[in-house]
Amino acid sequence: MYDPTVARLTYRALLGRRRALILGALPLLLIVISVIVRALVGADDQTTSDLLGGLALATMVPIIGVIAGTGAIGPEIDDGSVVYLLSKPIKRPTIIFTKLIVAIAVTMVFSALPTLVAGLILNGNGQQIAVAYTVAALVSSIAYAALFLLLGTVSRHAVVFGLVYALVWEALFGSLVSGARTLSVQQWSLAVAHKVAGGDLVTSDVSLPTATVLLVVVTVLATWYAGQKLRTLKLVGEE
């Protein structure tokens, strides 16, 4: 289910100079802001939770997920080079699964690690806040990578749709409409973070069992359907 050659090509595409600069911009901004806030406010648990929840988990992680998830396959489909990949004796689910692993790894490195560093800077992991949000970033990285990889497979406008989901649905509607939070990867990951941190600083509108089931179901279904769409894409290319 994992092909090293596909993985190497995907890593090379995702970590090219221009895309790597984009991927690194938000983590760097988060750390710089964390240093400034710590210098001005000191070690404050509520401020730490607000910053990690608002900037790291709600903004940085989904945007990086969009870049990594759609970038793992979208450009190959756009320029037609995916046909060359599909002509190789590699099973379509293997291609999707390999690209998903790469997208997850890239999203985790550029989102979870900076979240941990920022949390340690802000309050030294007081009340397990830094670890809780890091776990949330790790969990959400998996679901985001699967969702946005699927978008990259089915649409040439995957980046736009991904940003709409991340910034409009989750950030805007999620803050205004309580029912929308149930269909939010951010809220699912916050349920896991709440379990890690305990207390009231990290909260979620979704229970942990529900969040766990939804995270698994969305990840599995998105990966499976992306594999199915890739089969159809092969047929189109042959025609």
Side-chain angles (χ1 to χ4, degrees):
M1 292 296 292
Y2 181 84
D3 187 275
T5 301
V6 175
R8 184 174 64 254
L9 294 173
T10 306
Y11 274 118
R12 185 180 301 172
L14 285 179
L15 300 178
R17 181 176 301 177
R18 181 166 53 181
R19 188 169 278 115
L21 289 175
I22 297 174
L23 286 170
L26 279 175
L28 179 60
L29 177 63
L30 173 66
I31 293 174
V32 170
I33 291 176
S34 299
V35 171
I36 296 173
V37 170
R38 176 61 187 264
L40 295 176
V41 179
D44 182 79
D45 293 341
Q46 185 63 59
T47 300
T48 300
S49 181
D50 292 342
L51 183 58
L52 293 183
L55 180 56
L57 195 62
T59 303
M60 181 184 72
V61 181
I63 289 178
I64 290 177
V66 169
I67 297 171
T70 61
I73 195 169
E76 291 177 297
I77 294 177
D78 290 342
D79 62 21
S81 61
V82 71
V83 175
Y84 172 78
L85 180 62
L86 295 178
S87 68
K88 300 300 180 181
I90 306 174
K91 294 181 179 180
R92 305 305 172 257
T94 298
I95 295 174
I96 289 296
F97 184 76
T98 301
K99 288 182 174 294
L100 175 63
I101 295 299
V102 173
I104 289 173
V106 170
T107 306
M108 285 181 172
V109 168
F110 284 92
S111 61
L113 288 180
T115 298
L116 178 61
V117 172
L120 294 175
I121 292 172
L122 287 164
N123 78 334
N125 195 37
Q127 299 194 52
Q128 294 290 309
I129 296 175
V131 171
Y133 277 104
T134 300
V135 171
L138 289 171
V139 170
S140 59
S141 293
I142 299 172
Y144 281 132
L147 279 173
F148 298 138
L149 179 64
L150 172 61
L151 279 178
T153 306
V154 302
S155 174
R156 292 181 178 273
H157 306 288
V159 173
V160 175
F161 291 137
L163 291 176
V164 167
Y165 171 79
L167 301 180
V168 177
W169 177 264
E170 291 204 339
L172 181 59
F173 283 95
S175 63
L176 299 176
V177 183
S178 58
R181 297 169 194 159
T182 306
L183 300 177
S184 166
V185 173
Q186 178 190 341
Q187 289 297 321
W188 304 341
S189 61
L190 280 173
V192 180
H194 173 70
K195 179 66 175 180
V196 174
D200 298 325
L201 285 174
V202 184
T203 61
S204 174
D205 292 334
V206 183
S207 67
L208 181 59
T210 300
T212 303
V213 170
L214 289 172
L215 283 167
V216 172
V217 168
V218 165
T219 301
V220 172
L221 286 182
T223 305
W224 172 81
Y225 191 60
Q228 298 304 305
K229 293 301 293 184
L230 202 59
R231 293 177 187 272
T232 304
L233 186 66
K234 175 181 182 294
L235 294 175
V236 172
E238 289 178 346
E239 292 175 355

